Amino acid sequence: MATDTPTDTDFGQVSRTKDVAFRLLALAATLVGIVSLAALLANVAVDAVGWLNWGFITSPPHPDPYEAGFLPALVGSIAIMLLIALITFPVGVGAAVYLEEYANDGLLTRFIQLNIANLAGVPSVVYGLLGLGLFVGLLGFGYGTVLAAAFTVALLILPIVIISAQEAIRAVPDSQRQASYGMGATKWQTIRNVVLPRAMPGIMTGTILALGRAIGETAPLIMIAAPTTVFGIPNSFESKVSAMPLQIYTWASYPETEFQYGVVAAGVVTLLIVLLTINSIAIVIRNRYQQRT
Amino acid sequence: MSQPDFSHDGIRTARGKAFRYLFMLCALLSILTTVAIILTLLVDAVDFFAEISLVEFLTGTRWSPTNEPVAFGVLPLISGTLVITVGSALVALPIGLLTAIYLSEYASERRRAYLKPALEVLAGVPTVVYGYFALVYVTPALDTFLPLSTFNALSASIMVGIMIIPMVSSISEDAMSAVPDSLRQASYGLGATKFTVSTSVVVPAAVSGIFSSFILALSRAIGETMIVAIAAGQTPRLVDVTDPAGLFLNSIQTMTAAMVQIGTGDIVGQGEAYKSLFAVGLTLFVITFAMNLVSELVASRYREEYR
Amino acid sequence: MTMSDEQLLSSDTESSDDQPAPTPGTDGLTDSTDIDTGERSATERTLLEARDLSVYYGKEQALDSVDIEIPEKQVTAVIGPSGCGKSTFLRSINRMNDLVDAAHVDGELVFDGKNVYDDDVDPVALRRKIGMVFQKPNPFPKSIRDNVAYGLRVQGKDDGDVDEKVHTALERAALLDEVEAQLDSSGLDLSGGQQQRLCIARAIAPDPDVILMDEPASALDPVATSKIEDLIEELAEEYTVVIVTHNMQQAARISDKTAVFLTGGELVEFDDTDKIFENPEHDRVEDYITGKFG
């Protein structure tokens, strides 16, 4: 922009040294965690090369690192996860429907809401003690069984499922409910035919992400005395079960370098791939839903 | 011609009620869970305190649940937990706060769109993986220039810190985004730079949200289990605060790690060691529950500040 | 205007109640403004000048080749229907539009001989010469004292007696009497009208040359509005005031010059206020003034 006027006013310059320095500092802070994690992931991926192969995926554990496999832990994790999904989905959606569609804004509702937020922050090891005392002790599900493991971790992720389902239900526009009531529908008909179908992709996404959290949980399984090493695949709810993170924890304490930098790395990469798959499914569901509206 | 029938349909009403109560039951299950946690912890903890006095538990300076002579002083575990909490706070609080400022005030819409999910990944990695990273990568790397033990509080603190960064940054950023733009405009209108706007207007106005995120993150660090169980070691010791380097360079044991240690051992029957699990668990639960409650109450205050 | 320049310029701050403040009749569009323009036009000097100034938000044009000369130490009102670009014009003066990513400016805005859109102009430094008051009162959630002192601190003018400067600014904003006893309580505890006067005090504390006001009374009740209007007339003794308003009576009451923007960001007419309201050149402006349009 050209100016043809003589400039007799000088606004001066305000120093931006602090501004620029702060901006760079803040950017560096934002990246430091991401970059560190990326470096660690690269390390473990490189270490897993040669160890993560078909034999590893399809064999039971073995004291010889070159024979050791991950199959029972992999199958155990998936079995636990499926059972968790069966438990948390109906209960979580039910609770969310109640809180969003039925409950008034009274004291009880606020108490339930506060309680759910608080439960989401209870350390997982404490849930382990709940499982040990309630499911193993009182209800006799047995030490380290599929059933005990699934119920314990299900209670742990239930608050997350409820909160995300509530958000999905809240996102359904009120005009949709009004339209349904205007047609003479009852509350239940409105929920079943209008609210839930519309909220379902969001609920699914939230639940699947919560299952991703569940599959990485270790401490609760330790507390309910899930066996650290299992050689067979679980074939019933009462079977003793191991899980991927638990097997990783066990192997990480082996002193041999072949375990520390080989077998465990392969286990970690397997766990992360399963986790990535689960999260990708959630994202695909969310994106497909976003395209439709 | 008969009048139209607007009367209630009994079956429909009953079905509506049934669903209502069914859903309510699901919601009440969350309260039941809390009650169950408290009862489970209390029943065995009360048994435990019948044998070991509460005073002895809370003031004892030696923790040795299985090796003779047994001792059940929780102080060494609490001090170990504090070391990890302080260490991870030193990592996560400043980094998380700066991250929140960057995302809320500096980053473009596009950059924020890929930075935020990337940060969330930090909280999504299983803790057992972080623990393994700390043990086999971080500790050997730091050992090249620090006199580190194989198991040490430093690597574990760094890893716990990285894990809780997104917790600090996302809640703080929410609070900063809630600061009305009119305040920023007022500040720019007075000739403030972005740095001044961020530090003298946005951060002070968002302070209760930031505070809430800090407490929640600390509570998460206190309850973190696998990272410390794998990387920080199993050495219950009352830490010596006059030797800050020694605190971090050596092995310690947190409350959570002690629980894992007992849990992985063969718990036979209902011995003192088994019951001590619940006493430590109760202590942990009370501390974290109180912190979460405070965080939630502070957060609900900031949500009301700018409506 | 009857108030002497010395009174407001001297730091000896006597309350303006001692001298009758000029209170132009609310219905008389002519009597007050006649005197104003007559008196001031003698010493009139252009402080702000827009030359072929256009502003775009993305592809949308918000301001269309505006040419205007705004005189020093007078009140210039900018009126027009909503969406006419009057706020955009105001924000282009202190480059607040820079904060909008998609905003793009063509032409010149000359401040005292310097085009503020020259490459060597630092918008932050520019804004330190131009105070701004916004539509909705926006005090910081800080004490009254810290609100007024904020600009001084930001601009590095907090050497010397900050407290005295705070008092002076509050006095000029006609707020001191009401808040002197509670300077350390939150600015948010004040009423809407008091908050807006606090924002004016905040804007004038660093002693800028120009004060921009974006519908400063639109969120206030009539009593608070009349206080703000009195204040604006007093401020013009010392500052160049540019005020955007959608309230035509307000523009007629307090301004010396009036600029009328109509749809499309076009400046249709700019003249002495009484001329605009009595005998505008353009039919479109007359239609707007008389309420036939907009």
Side-chain angles (χ1 to χ4, degrees):
Chain A
M1 229 175 295
T3 172
D4 51 0
T5 37
T7 59
D8 43 11
T9 297
D10 182 18
F11 298 107
Q13 295 284 324
V14 174
S15 164
R16 297 298 161 81
T17 321
K18 256 194 264 177
D19 210 28
V20 171
F22 185 71
R23 185 199 176 90
L24 290 177
L25 180 70
L27 177 61
T30 309
L31 294 178
V32 65
I34 299 170
V35 170
S36 310
L37 181 63
L40 292 167
L41 290 175
N43 259 318
V44 77
V46 168
D47 282 349
V49 169
W51 293 95
L52 180 54
N53 50 35
W54 190 244
F56 176 77
I57 299 293
T58 53
S59 312
H62 198 279
D64 176 359
Y66 296 95
E67 302 281 320
F70 212 37
L71 184 66
L74 181 61
V75 175
S77 273
I78 291 172
I80 295 172
M81 190 183 71
L82 291 177
L83 193 52
I84 291 172
L86 287 179
I87 299 165
T88 53
F89 187 77
V91 177
V93 173
V97 165
Y98 176 77
L99 289 170
E100 290 301 316
E101 301 290 324
Y102 286 97
N104 54 10
D105 202 22
L107 211 60
L108 177 68
T109 313
R110 291 229 298 276
F111 181 67
I112 294 177
Q113 206 71 70
L114 183 65
N115 183 59
I116 290 172
N118 253 316
L119 279 178
V122 171
S124 59
V125 67
V126 171
Y127 278 99
L129 288 183
L130 171 65
L132 179 61
L134 183 64
F135 299 125
V136 176
L138 199 62
L139 301 178
F141 288 178
Y143 285 105
T145 57
V146 177
L147 213 53
F151 271 92
T152 304
V153 180
L155 285 186
L156 191 157
I157 66 160
L158 192 55
I160 311 173
V161 174
I162 295 175
I163 291 169
S164 64
Q166 275 185 275
E167 279 166 10
I169 291 171
R170 217 175 295 146
V172 176
D174 219 35
S175 61
Q176 302 267 309
R177 295 182 185 86
Q178 306 279 344
S180 173
Y181 288 131
M183 305 286 289
T186 63
K187 185 152 210 158
W188 163 240
Q189 286 170 328
T190 303
I191 290 168
R192 194 189 57 187
N193 298 320
V194 176
V195 177
L196 282 183
R198 182 96 187 224
M200 200 42 76
I203 295 174
M204 296 281 284
T205 306
T207 307
I208 295 172
L209 288 177
L211 290 176
R213 161 101 194 266
I215 209 165
E217 281 298 339
T218 321
L221 303 184
I222 293 176
M223 300 321 291
I224 59 160
T228 50
T229 302
V230 169
F231 297 96
I233 293 169
N235 52 21
S236 79
F237 289 145
E238 278 84 31
S239 302
K240 299 250 186 216
V241 68
S242 182
M244 288 188 284
L246 202 54
Q247 186 67 63
I248 289 170
Y249 171 63
T250 311
W251 277 338
S253 64
Y254 288 10
E256 297 97 322
T257 313
E258 287 88 344
F259 270 106
Q260 292 227 319
Y261 291 95
V263 177
V264 188
V268 165
V269 171
T270 311
L271 173 61
L272 291 178
I273 288 174
V274 172
L275 199 58
L276 196 68
T277 311
I278 293 171
N279 289 353
S280 305
I281 293 171
I283 289 164
V284 165
I285 290 177
R286 184 166 61 194
N287 288 352
R288 180 175 285 186
Y289 161 72
Q290 276 171 346
Q291 277 163 11
R292 264 194 298 144
T293 46
Chain B
M1 196 152 169
S2 66
Q3 283 186 342
D5 180 14
F6 291 146
S7 62
H8 285 283
D9 175 342
I11 296 171
R12 202 167 57 205
T13 314
R15 194 172 52 190
K17 272 200 175 141
F19 278 113
R20 183 196 171 89
Y21 288 122
L22 184 68
F23 294 142
M24 193 171 169
L25 205 66
C26 294
L28 289 176
L29 193 68
S30 72
I31 291 181
L32 217 62
T33 307
T34 307
V35 172
I37 289 175
I38 295 171
L39 282 183
T40 313
L41 294 175
L42 271 182
V43 166
D44 281 295
V46 164
D47 260 14
F48 173 80
F49 289 126
E51 290 161 43
I52 313 288
S53 81
L54 188 61
V55 176
E56 190 184 335
F57 177 70
L58 289 178
T59 60
T61 56
R62 211 169 73 80
W63 178 262
S64 176
T66 45
N67 295 338
E68 294 292 337
V70 294
F72 293 96
V74 81
L75 281 184
L77 304 182
I78 289 183
S79 74
T81 298
L82 272 179
V83 170
I84 297 292
T85 309
V86 170
S88 57
L90 288 176
V91 173
L93 303 195
I95 290 180
L97 182 59
L98 283 169
T99 302
I101 294 174
Y102 183 80
L103 291 176
S104 157
E105 305 300 312
Y106 285 91
S108 65
E109 200 63 49
R110 241 191 58 203
R111 199 172 271 194
R112 191 162 44 222
Y114 60 83
L115 280 177
K116 281 183 75 166
L119 279 165
E120 292 306 319
V121 170
L122 294 182
V125 173
T127 55
V128 68
V129 173
Y130 273 126
Y132 167 72
F133 285 166
L135 180 68
V136 302
Y137 299 129
V138 179
T139 295
L142 295 176
D143 198 31
T144 55
F145 57 95
L146 286 172
L148 275 187
S149 312
T150 310
F151 300 103
N152 60 83
L154 183 63
S155 303
S157 295
I158 293 174
M159 273 302 148
V160 175
I162 288 179
M163 183 190 76
I164 60 179
I165 286 173
M167 193 159 293
V168 177
S169 68
S170 77
I171 298 175
S172 293
E173 194 214 333
D174 284 350
M176 291 179 196
S177 308
V179 174
D181 218 34
S182 65
L183 294 184
R184 290 185 187 87
Q185 300 255 334
S187 183
Y188 282 124
L190 286 162
T193 60
K194 198 157 225 177
F195 169 73
T196 317
V197 173
S198 306
T199 53
S200 76
V201 174
V202 177
V203 169
V207 74
S208 43
I210 294 168
F211 183 68
S212 158
S213 81
F214 282 5
I215 300 178
L216 203 63
L218 292 184
S219 153
R220 183 55 60 90
I222 289 173
E224 172 42 37
T225 307
M226 294 319 292
I227 298 177
V228 290
I230 295 173
Q234 307 283 9
T235 315
R237 63 187 171 96
L238 198 58
V239 295
D240 178 5
V241 282
T242 57
D243 175 24
L247 288 187
F248 285 101
L249 299 179
N250 296 314
S251 169
I252 50 131
Q253 188 173 46
T254 64
M255 290 189 276
T256 51
M259 290 163 74
V260 167
Q261 190 182 28
I262 299 172
T264 42
D266 291 319
I267 318 171
V268 205
Q270 304 282 308
E272 277 176 352
Y274 173 86
K275 286 173 192 158
S276 75
L277 262 182
F278 293 85
V280 177
L282 185 64
T283 314
L284 183 67
F285 176 76
V286 168
I287 294 173
T288 53
F289 202 82
M291 290 178 76
N292 294 344
L293 204 61
V294 171
S295 166
E296 187 64 29
L297 293 177
V298 174
S300 62
R301 228 198 74 195
Y302 93 72
R303 282 186 209 119
E304 285 179 7
E305 260 166 35
Y306 297 109
R307 273 190 314 187
Chain C
M1 296 255 166
T2 50
M3 187 163 291
S4 63
D5 280 346
E6 293 88 341
Q7 196 201 351
L8 276 167
L9 285 173
S10 62
S11 55
D12 162 32
T13 44
E14 288 215 342
S15 166
S16 57
D17 295 351
D18 296 350
Q19 279 196 352
T23 45
T26 47
D27 49 355
L29 299 183
T30 50
D31 45 12
S32 63
T33 45
D34 255 346
I35 307 162
D36 288 352
T37 45
E39 250 182 26
R40 279 186 191 152
S41 49
T43 56
E44 192 170 290
R45 183 177 91 93
T46 298
L47 183 68
L48 292 165
E49 183 182 357
R51 295 177 189 160
D52 199 18
L53 184 73
S54 296
V55 178
Y56 305 83
Y57 294 125
K59 282 178 181 151
E60 204 158 316
Q61 186 162 17
L63 217 54
D64 186 4
S65 309
V66 170
D67 288 285
I68 190 172
E69 295 185 11
I70 293 173
E72 192 174 27
K73 295 190 181 172
Q74 294 198 16
V75 178
T76 299
V78 180
I79 62 172
S82 48
C84 70
K86 52 189 195 295
S87 279
T88 301
F89 172 66
L90 197 73
R91 282 158 184 266
S92 68
I93 296 174
N94 66 343
R95 291 185 61 174
M96 287 294 271
N97 282 331
D98 286 22
L99 301 174
V100 181
D101 281 340
H104 165 71
V105 177
D106 276 339
E108 294 184 8
L109 193 292
V110 179
F111 180 129
D112 203 10
K114 173 73 177 168
N115 177 17
V116 304
Y117 286 99
D118 277 352
D119 289 343
D120 63 339
V121 171
D122 179 354
V124 170
L126 170 71
R127 290 180 201 130
R128 298 184 174 189
K129 297 210 170 224
I130 304 178
M132 189 162 195
V133 178
F134 299 82
Q135 185 168 0
K136 239 183 92 201
N138 55 357
F140 298 123
K142 300 172 190 280
S143 70
I144 293 172
R145 187 195 309 276
D146 286 347
N147 261 287
V148 181
Y150 181 85
L152 299 170
R153 299 216 168 97
V154 163
Q155 302 184 16
K157 293 177 180 167
D158 55 346
D159 49 335
D161 198 343
V162 172
D163 243 29
E164 192 187 312
K165 290 176 178 171
V166 168
H167 274 80
T168 308
L170 283 170
E171 175 134 42
R172 282 186 190 166
L175 186 62
L176 186 64
D177 293 346
E178 292 159 63
V179 301
E180 193 162 18
Q182 40 159 342
L183 287 181
D184 289 312
S185 64
S186 169
L188 294 169
D189 294 341
L190 299 175
S191 73
Q194 288 174 323
Q195 286 191 8
Q196 193 63 301
R197 276 179 284 147
L198 176 62
C199 291
I200 293 175
R202 184 176 66 188
I204 60 180
D207 203 27
D209 296 337
V210 180
I211 298 173
L212 307 178
M213 296 187 163
D214 191 356
E215 308 203 22
S218 68
L220 305 179
D221 62 63
V223 176
T225 299
S226 113
K227 280 189 184 167
I228 298 274
E229 289 182 3
D230 292 349
L231 180 56
I232 290 169
E233 301 202 65
E234 283 173 35
L235 289 174
E237 300 289 336
E238 209 179 336
Y239 303 104
T240 304
V241 178
V242 184
I243 174 172
V244 162
T245 176
H246 61 255
N247 179 339
M248 278 177 280
Q249 275 81 39
Q250 186 172 64
R253 280 196 297 269
I254 63 174
S255 71
D256 306 292
K257 297 269 189 182
T258 296
V260 184
F261 282 75
L262 294 178
T263 42
E266 180 194 357
L267 174 62
V268 180
E269 194 163 341
F270 174 60
D271 213 324
D272 290 344
T273 297
D274 54 340
K275 173 86 165 43
I276 295 278
F277 282 92
E278 276 179 7
N279 186 21
E281 301 258 318
H282 298 76
D283 292 346
R284 286 199 291 158
V285 172
E286 184 156 16
D287 287 352
Y288 174 65
I289 301 281
T290 54
K292 285 183 192 150
F293 155 74

